Amino acid sequence: MHPRHLISVRDLDVATITSIFEAATALGAMAPEDRSRILRGRLLTVLFFQPSTRTRIGFESAGLKLGATVSGFSDPSTTRSVDYIGESLEDTIRVIAELGDMIVLRHFVSGAARHAAAVSSVPVINGGDGTNEHPTQALSDAWTMANRLGSVEGAVVGIVGDPGTRVHRSLIQILALLGVAKILLLVPPSAPLRIGGSMGITHCTVPADIVATLKAAKVPYEFCSDVRDMLAEADAIEMMPVSIPGLESDPRSLSKGENVTPEQYRVTAQKIRATGSRALIMHPGPRSDEMHPDVDDLPNGLFFDQVRDSLQMRMAALTYVCGAGPYSRPS
Ligand code: CP
């Protein structure tokens, strides 16, 4: 039997996404003692080749709450992948698959999760690979939207930041599948708009795969030039830092830059009040200065609610790949 992986939202259909949402809800409602039996006796291994706060500790917490034990690394410099041998990702995954029962992998190479899944004898969950995808964060954020809006079908969703970063790429695909009415884009200053004469505004920085996804789903997209316009129209907004280094960079080569977010990208409580916006204000984290912490005091500021929801979603992801809990077959 091939293991069931969770690598890309492209591998999921609407029925599967709906079932994962339902599993997250069911796991949240379950008594802790019942939940803690679901993965008892199994070992979750978390392999993080890039820094993480939410995803790694979220998966570790989810695994522990489901009764699994947890091992792995958050600092790849302690592993044989970075010493004079430079053990390959393929060998690392095959070694870990001999030891544990499921793998959560974060890696700075786009496509690393798919590559890992191809050689793994146990389920692999993509915890973010390069600029490619971050499916569990996107599933969680779409679920947060769906819970609070009733449904994302027919909703107008704003995306602040580069649509080609991994959370946005996964989220836009899920939202397209679930039938949003429109996507609004506020792209980073490093990705300037081009004014295309009588054709209006065109853009060259929305990745071709995202354009293709939106076209196939018949979801229109428009560009905003100021977040206030987005606040006025959107039902939900997912933000990202608009100035970030390449997600495909080895983390050892990076240092913290200055916060330079231009004003038209910054959401504050004052702007939300001034526009009368009731949009859900969301951010997968970590945030820089594009989202002011005073947004947290408003009912539509969901920065920390998203983290709470993500714990249930990561429990759902673990049960999905393991065929356990809500996914166990009747005996
Ligand atoms: N959203 C997200 O991936 O956060 P971390 O980098 O803290 O895991």
Side-chain angles (χ1 to χ4, degrees), residues 236-247:
I237 296 175
E238 175 92 330
M239 306 191 69
M240 283 278 284
V242 299
S243 174
I244 52 174
L247 284 168

Side-chain angles (χ1 to χ4, degrees), residues 49 76-77 79-92 107 252:
F49 288 84
S77 70
T79 73
R80 304 310 301 268
S81 64
V82 296
D83 71 0
Y84 61 93
I85 297 285
E87 187 166 36
S88 67
L89 178 64
E90 178 175 317
D91 277 2
T92 303
H107 205 283
R252 289 166 298 175

Side-chain angles (χ1 to χ4, degrees), residues 51-56 106 134 137 284-286:
S52 166
T53 299
R54 281 145 280 262
T55 310
R56 182 178 65 81
R106 171 168 288 189
H134 195 345
Q137 184 68 52

Side-chain angles (χ1 to χ4, degrees), residues 49-50 106-110 129-131 166 247-251:
F49 288 84
Q50 275 186 312
R106 171 168 288 189
H107 205 283
F108 50 88
V109 173
S110 295
D129 63 330
T131 59
R166 59 195 181 199
L247 284 168
E248 288 179 305
S249 307
D250 185 320

